[in-house]
Amino acid sequence: GAVVSQHPSRVICKSGTSVKIECRSLDFQATTMFWYRQFPKQSLMLMATSNEGSKATYEQGVEKDKFLINHASLTLSTLTVTSAHPEDSSFYICSAGQGMNTEAFFGQGTRLTVV
Amino acid sequence: LAKTTQPISMDSYEGQEVNITCSHNNIATNDYITWYQQFPSQGPRFIIQGYKTKVTNEVASLFIPADRKSSTLSLPRVSLSDTAVYYCRLTGGGNKLTFGTGTQLKVEL
């Protein structure tokens, strides 16, 4: 099946710094990638949808200036958490698909801890 | 916004068949029903997808009645390693790709 690779799997950063998370589709071209955030014992919450070559669409309540998404190629999307704070500590997960509503494959997730 | 409803948790024992039902009363004509499995600190893993009637693969079966307002994921003879959270989602149609609460399945000896 299709493989989506996410890197890093875990990262610890200091408050105020920025962290970049990469999401790669390894064996298919992903025109659309999705970014989720998951807090402990909660479900995944969609943060934004990124389409290759265009601006990402953010869900209500998600600050686009804080969570920068770049989808410059059909195999790579990046999420940058800018000026991270402890409340940004969470599990971030990406998924990729070949159309707006066709995502089915998820990355391994990135555990972000802001200290 | 189509919503899915699942039991919050289920308990079972090794070797038993487990059936998890998901309600989706507002399913759209072009929605598919997709089930995922998630272990702690991992991304969800695709299990099975269907549109109507029954779908079976090497790990599970999916039963969808004619009105498609619900679906049941069937896991035959579960083991301890099947302890995870299971999510059903409606995908492929015009619905926003959100996750419901999921069902925490706990399998014991």
Side-chain angles (χ1 to χ4, degrees):
Chain A
V3 178
V4 174
S5 177
Q6 194 172 334
H7 178 81
S9 57
R10 59 179 63 238
V11 58
I12 301 173
C13 71
K14 290 185 177 180
S15 187
T17 62
S18 297
V19 174
K20 180 184 284 188
I21 302 170
E22 293 187 348
C23 180
R24 294 181 184 272
S25 58
L26 299 184
D27 55 0
F28 70 102
Q29 294 184 330
T31 53
T32 306
M33 287 187 173
F34 304 84
W35 288 95
Y36 298 84
R37 180 167 53 183
Q38 186 176 34
F39 292 107
K41 298 195 181 300
Q42 293 187 23
S43 184
L44 287 79
M45 293 174 49
L46 180 65
M47 298 176 66
T49 303
S50 75
N51 294 297
E52 186 266 339
S54 62
K55 290 184 178 180
T57 302
Y58 290 81
E59 294 302 303
Q60 190 173 9
V62 178
E63 301 175 54
K64 62 180 181 180
D65 294 330
K66 181 169 184 62
F67 298 100
L68 301 179
I69 292 173
N70 184 282
H71 192 164
S73 77
L74 287 171
T75 59
L76 174 65
S77 176
T78 60
L79 168 67
T80 301
V81 183
T82 62
S83 187
H85 291 286
E87 56 265 31
D88 298 324
S89 298
S90 188
F91 192 55
Y92 292 86
I93 307 168
C94 72
S95 68
Q98 294 176 289
M100 185 57 199
N101 293 307
T102 61
E103 58 85 42
F105 302 99
F106 290 79
Q108 309 94 310
T110 298
R111 174 73 60 192
L112 170 63
T113 303
V114 184
V115 298
Chain B
L1 179 65
K3 182 181 176 182
T4 59
T5 304
Q6 305 173 232
I8 295 296
S9 64
M10 294 182 69
D11 293 329
S12 184
Y13 294 96
E14 275 204 319
Q16 289 191 333
E17 177 184 82
V18 171
N19 296 307
I20 306 173
T21 297
C22 179
S23 296
H24 28 80
N25 291 317
N26 296 325
I27 188 169
T29 303
N30 52 354
D31 280 335
Y32 281 74
I33 300 157
T34 309
W35 285 80
Y36 298 88
Q37 175 192 57
Q38 186 183 29
F39 297 112
S41 295
Q42 293 186 28
R45 183 176 74 97
F46 174 88
I47 301 175
I48 197 167
Q49 183 181 70
Y51 185 81
K52 62 180 179 180
T53 62
K54 177 184 175 182
V55 179
T56 298
N57 62 22
E58 62 275 10
V59 297
S61 293
L62 179 59
F63 299 91
I64 305 169
D67 65 4
R68 304 200 327 124
K69 293 182 183 297
S70 67
S71 59
T72 299
L73 174 71
S74 181
L75 304 173
R77 296 170 50 178
V78 295
S79 64
L80 293 175
S81 62
D82 292 318
T83 293
V85 178
Y86 293 83
Y87 294 96
C88 80
R89 298 181 70 193
L90 303 181
T91 58
N95 297 304
K96 188 163 290 185
L97 295 172
T98 56
F99 278 85
T101 57
T103 298
Q104 172 67 64
L105 173 64
K106 183 179 179 182
V107 180
E108 299 175 285
L109 287 172

